[in-house]
Amino acid sequence: MRNWILPEHISDLLPPEARRVETLRRAMLDLAAGFGYELVLPPLIEYVDSLLPPADAALELKTFKLTDQLSGRQLGLRADITPQVARIDAHLLNRQGVARLCYAGSTVHALPDGILSSREPLQLGAEIYGFAGVAADVEVVELMRECLRLAGIEQVHLDIGHIGLFLALADAAALSGERREAVFRAIQQKDLPSLAALVAGLPAPLAQGLAALPTLYGGAEVLAAAEQRLPALPPITAALAALRDLTEALAARGIVPHYDLSELRSGYYHTGLVFAAYAEGWANAVARGGRYDHVGERFGRPRPATGFSVDLKELSRRLAPALARRAILAPDRLDPALADAIRALRSAGETVVVRLGEVIDVEELHADRELVERGGQWQVVPLGA
C-alpha cells in the first residue's frame, strides 16, 4: 500500500513553507488587531444546518458531510468560516454595538475551485457586524489592502460590484430553481450566448437588464451606463447609489476602484456590495469580500455585516522563504547547571537544540552556536570555536 500518498488537491506543508505561512498569518492577525479586530476560533466541524446559509447551492456542494455518532445528526466540515463567525456574533457575543472579529483556520472543500486549487484552503478574514454605513466597507477594503501588502502585493486592481442588481432583476422576473442558478452562473462567467438563451421570454426590460450585467465593467463610466441600461427598480436605484457612495469614500483615501457588475461571488449569502482584489501574475482574485447583511438571520439576529477573506497558503507561495531562527546546540548531559543555562536561554527567546546522538548535519538543526563548559560555567560560543 502506498499509504503516504495524499488525496488529490491536498498537500503537506514542509518546514520552509509552513514557516512562510505561519509568519504571514501572525503578521496579518497582528495587523487586524491594530484595527481593533478580536480573534475568534470557530470549530472545524459542526451541524450542517448552521454551516450552510439557505439556498446556497454552491457552498453546499463544497461541504463534506457525515453523520454524528453521538447525536445522529448530520455534521459538516466547514468550507467557509463566515457563517460560523455570524453565529458567534449572533448568539455567543450578542453585542448591541459594532463587533470587529477576525479569524484564521483551515477549511475543507469537497470539490476544488479550479485545477490548481487546494481543497484545504487556510482562510483568514476580518468582519464587521452591526454597522450598515459605507464606512465599514471602506475599513474592510483598507485592511484587506494592508494585508495584501504584507504578502508582497503592492499594486491591487480592485473590482467592485453589487449583488443586489442581480437579485432585483431575478426577483422581478420571478426566476427560481435551476433556471435562476443557470442565469447566475452565466452572468458570473460572462457567457453571453447562454445568458441570452436563458433570459429569452422574460419581459424585455428585465431580459435586457440581466443580459447587460456581464458587459458592465470598466471605469467610472460603468455606473452611468448601468443607469441607462438597467430598469429603474427601487432596489437597483439603491444599489447604484451604494456603489457611488463607496466610490466617493474610497477616492478620499486614494483608492480608485474598477467596476464589474457581474462580480457576484460564489455564495448567495452576499446581499450587497461585493469586491475582489486582483494582482499581476495571479490568475484568480487574491482576496474577496463584500456585504452579507442577512447571514445571521437563521440565528435569529440579521445584523449588518461586511468583511473579506484570503487564502494564506495561496498568498504565501510567492513570498521569499521565511528563514528559520538560528539555534544553539547543547550537549546531552545530566547537569543541573546546563539545564539552568538552557532554560535561561530559551526564556530569553533563543532556540536551544539538545544534541541527540550523532549530529550528521548541523545546518539541518539551523545551529550556528553551541553551549560549552569553560571554567565551570556554561557559555555560548560560535560553533566549533
Side-chain angles (χ1 to χ4, degrees):
M1 291 181 60
R2 296 197 295 172
N3 54 8
W4 52 270
I5 296 178
L6 293 174
E8 290 187 62
H9 300 276
I10 300 290
S11 61
D12 294 306
L13 291 182
L14 300 183
E17 292 82 12
R19 282 197 303 271
R20 190 164 53 195
V21 169
E22 178 62 10
T23 299
L24 184 60
R25 185 192 70 85
R26 293 182 184 183
M28 285 188 177
L29 290 179
D30 286 345
L31 175 65
F35 277 66
Y37 290 76
E38 297 177 275
L39 181 65
V40 293
L41 297 174
L44 181 63
I45 188 169
E46 59 176 289
Y47 295 122
V48 165
D49 55 3
S50 65
L51 285 176
L52 297 178
D56 196 330
L59 189 56
E60 184 167 7
L61 283 174
K62 285 185 178 182
T63 302
F64 274 104
K65 304 176 186 70
L66 61 156
T67 301
D68 184 7
Q69 298 298 312
L70 294 179
S71 68
R73 294 177 59 186
Q74 192 174 50
L75 298 173
L77 293 175
R78 66 184 181 202
D80 187 355
I81 299 178
T82 290
Q84 296 182 293
V85 180
R87 173 180 55 76
I88 289 172
D89 173 71
H91 274 292
L92 299 183
L93 294 180
N94 200 30
R95 294 175 180 171
Q96 299 307 307
V98 171
R100 290 177 171 87
L101 303 175
C102 62
Y103 59 84
S106 289
T107 57
V108 183
H109 293 176
L111 297 170
D113 287 334
I115 296 175
L116 301 178
S117 298
S118 170
R119 286 200 289 164
E120 192 193 2
L122 183 54
Q123 184 179 341
L124 180 144
E127 302 175 2
I128 298 177
Y129 291 87
F131 189 79
V134 71
D137 302 289
V138 172
E139 180 178 306
V140 163
V141 170
E142 285 188 301
L143 177 56
M144 178 194 72
R145 281 170 55 91
E146 292 302 315
C147 283
L148 293 177
R149 286 195 175 100
L150 292 176
I153 300 174
E154 294 288 343
Q155 300 298 321
V156 171
H157 178 100
L158 180 66
D159 278 352
I160 61 174
H162 201 297
I163 199 170
L165 299 172
F166 167 78
L167 296 177
L169 291 166
D171 290 345
L175 290 177
S176 62
E178 292 183 3
R179 189 181 186 187
R180 185 178 179 118
E181 287 285 339
V183 171
F184 186 85
R185 287 195 301 271
I187 292 173
Q188 275 186 315
Q189 297 166 5
K190 293 184 169 59
D191 184 352
L192 298 183
S194 296
L195 183 58
L198 287 165
V199 302
L202 296 178
L206 301 177
Q208 292 167 5
L210 288 165
L213 289 181
T215 69
L216 292 170
Y217 61 90
E221 73 282 355
V222 167
L223 295 185
E227 280 189 337
Q228 295 178 352
R229 299 178 63 183
L230 301 181
L233 301 172
I236 289 179
T237 301
L240 293 176
L243 285 168
R244 287 193 203 90
D245 290 344
L246 179 60
T247 299
E248 183 178 352
L250 290 174
R253 290 158 176 80
I255 302 173
V256 179
H258 293 74
Y259 304 89
D260 185 350
L261 301 192
S262 65
E263 177 60 55
L264 300 182
R265 289 297 315 260
S266 61
Y268 268 117
Y269 66 70
H270 283 84
T271 57
L273 293 164
V274 289
F275 55 85
Y278 297 89
E280 185 177 354
W282 299 84
N284 300 311
V286 292
R288 289 186 180 275
R291 187 161 279 279
Y292 29 88
D293 290 341
H294 302 305
V295 71
E297 187 168 357
R298 70 190 186 288
F299 304 119
R301 199 159 181 247
R303 300 229 292 165
T306 185
F308 78 95
S309 65
V310 300
D311 179 1
L312 285 172
K313 289 182 181 178
E314 186 64 27
L315 279 185
S316 69
R317 292 186 192 280
R318 300 192 183 191
L319 289 175
L323 299 178
R325 290 198 306 175
R326 306 312 294 177
I328 299 168
L329 195 59
D332 177 20
R333 284 174 51 180
L334 298 177
D335 182 339
L338 173 60
D340 289 342
I342 291 174
R343 278 193 293 270
L345 287 167
R346 288 173 176 163
S347 296
E350 293 282 5
T351 297
V352 182
V353 178
V354 175
R355 185 192 301 267
L356 298 177
E358 182 183 1
V359 175
I360 305 300
D361 185 353
V362 294
E363 194 55 39
E364 289 183 357
L365 302 178
H366 311 292
D368 61 355
R369 292 157 293 161
E370 61 182 331
L371 262 174
V372 298
E373 187 181 22
R374 292 181 177 172
Q377 299 290 325
W378 288 99
Q379 300 177 12
V380 177
V381 301
L383 197 64

